[in-house]
Amino acid sequence: MHSKVVIIGSGPAGHTAAIYAARADLKPVMYEGFLALGIAAGGQLTTTDEVENFPGFKMIRGSELMDNMREQSEACGTEIISQTVGKVDLSQRPFKFWVHPMGDEENLEEETHTADSIIIATGAKARRLGLPGEEQYWQNGVSACAVCDGSLPIFREKPLVVIGGGDSAVEEGVYLTKKASKVTILVRKGQLRASKANARRLATNPKVEIRYNTQALQIKGEDKPRGLMQSLVIKNSKTGEEEEIPANGLFYAVGHEPATHLFKDQLKMDEDGYLITTPGTTETDVPGVFAAGDVQDKKYRQAVTSAGSGCMAALEAEKFLAEQENIDVPNGVDGESEVKKGKPEANGDVPEYRQNPLL
């Protein structure tokens, strides 16, 4: 099968890209993945019970939000295939790719598919620690995103715990002080990895207690269906002392793993595996390949920012395809960035956009 635009991934970035591409008559094909990263189609939001910070919804279940996006993508004309892309060849256009048979992540189908452009929206998965009780209390006290979940009623004016020692852990901890009665930061080593300014900001906050050389052992809580977390068993690695502390929430800040293994040695990535895009765009180092959402965003990692970058990717893909066919695109991206003209000092330059009559 050959497609003008193929979208790999089915989170907010992927579906927003699909909606824009479909409305531009590009007939996008989305491979939403079959339990890719161990998560259902729709990405990380499908594991979030309540979403309060996506515009247009006072409160909505994450799975319902993603169902709405999927329905809208299909209504606009996107073809959605519930298979996982298992191999790609980006060495030349049209790009080639192969998919796994449904439910089989080991083998590939023989058929070779091609695409004129590809939008990568495979996302990233928050690292978990696999603690006893983690699965039972996931989203019932245990989370990997304070900004996403920290405002929920179950956390307000309650003792909360953050695990991590980097800048992300500091930012999560400081954010939670606005909601919690107390925030305890567990640091595995004897010092924070965060910047000095961030470390000082955390240490001087009266609501924060930092416990160094400390790790979590077990999550405890109500022993009933959808019971809430109530405490955390911790251990001091130097003294060996174990202690159970009250905790109504546990937030992991130990990093994310971007789903970029497919593109290793084919696209430029940073040291953590995130795809590198031209500043101000979603363009990768391979013309015709675009990256949107958490797969290239290690800073914000929010559904709404992912959706925004998905819009950018679709507009840029439309312009790229039109240029290949020497067609003027009145609703596309206007102008060439200074970065692409070989001026690295223009890092961060954002292309101007013409008004899109489809909006």
Side-chain angles (χ1 to χ4, degrees), residues 74-317:
E74 287 190 306
C76 288
T78 303
E79 179 181 356
I80 300 179
I81 298 175
S82 299
Q83 286 179 270
T84 304
V85 174
K87 180 182 177 182
V88 297
D89 180 358
L90 307 179
S91 60
Q92 60 182 7
R93 294 182 62 244
F95 306 117
K96 299 176 183 178
F97 63 96
W98 296 261
V99 300
H100 292 297
M102 284 291 290
D104 181 356
E105 297 299 304
E106 299 297 326
N107 301 300
L108 294 172
E109 293 184 353
E110 292 184 3
E111 183 179 0
T112 300
H113 304 278
T114 56
D116 292 325
S117 65
I118 292 179
I119 295 174
I120 300 169
T122 47
K125 183 179 181 181
R127 292 194 184 104
R128 298 192 189 184
L129 299 179
L131 298 173
E134 179 182 287
E135 285 299 324
Q136 181 178 356
Y137 298 108
W138 186 257
Q139 292 300 319
N140 289 306
V142 185
S143 170
C145 181
V147 176
C148 308
D149 301 329
S151 294
L152 295 177
I154 61 172
F155 299 129
R156 291 174 187 166
E157 294 302 319
K158 302 290 177 60
L160 307 178
V161 176
V162 176
I163 297 179
D167 285 306
S168 294
V170 169
E171 290 167 6
E172 299 254 296
V174 172
Y175 176 84
L176 289 173
T177 59
K178 303 172 186 177
K179 319 292 179 182
S181 60
K182 176 184 178 180
V183 177
T184 302
I185 311 294
L186 303 186
V187 185
R188 185 168 54 88
K189 297 184 178 180
Q191 61 183 16
L192 292 168
R193 291 181 291 103
S195 66
K196 289 184 178 179
N198 263 345
R200 190 181 310 113
R201 183 169 156 232
L202 186 70
T204 55
N205 192 303
K207 279 191 174 182
V208 172
E209 178 186 5
I210 305 175
R211 296 206 179 195
Y212 297 103
N213 303 302
T214 304
Q215 58 186 345
L217 296 182
Q218 183 181 0
I219 302 164
K220 294 185 175 183
E222 297 173 336
D223 187 16
K224 62 181 182 179
R226 297 191 63 79
L228 299 178
M229 174 183 176
Q230 294 178 321
S231 64
L232 183 68
V233 180
I234 61 176
K235 177 181 179 180
N236 185 298
S237 57
K238 281 197 169 182
T239 64
E241 180 184 355
E242 295 186 11
E243 179 184 357
E244 184 174 341
I245 61 173
N248 294 91
L250 173 63
F251 295 84
Y252 292 152
V254 291
H256 287 69
E257 297 175 359
T260 54
H261 60 282
L262 266 181
F263 316 103
K264 188 177 181 180
D265 300 325
Q266 299 196 65
L267 294 174
K268 285 186 178 179
M269 306 178 187
D270 68 11
E271 65 277 6
D272 296 317
Y274 288 85
L275 295 179
I276 296 175
T277 54
T278 301
T281 78
T282 62
E283 300 166 0
T284 68
D285 61 311
V286 173
V289 179
F290 307 88
D294 288 6
V295 76
Q296 53 83 50
D297 174 20
K298 64 196 301 183
K299 182 176 182 180
Y300 298 106
R301 296 193 296 265
Q302 298 298 302
V304 68
T305 52
S306 292
S309 65
C311 164
M312 293 168 60
L315 291 174
E316 289 165 357

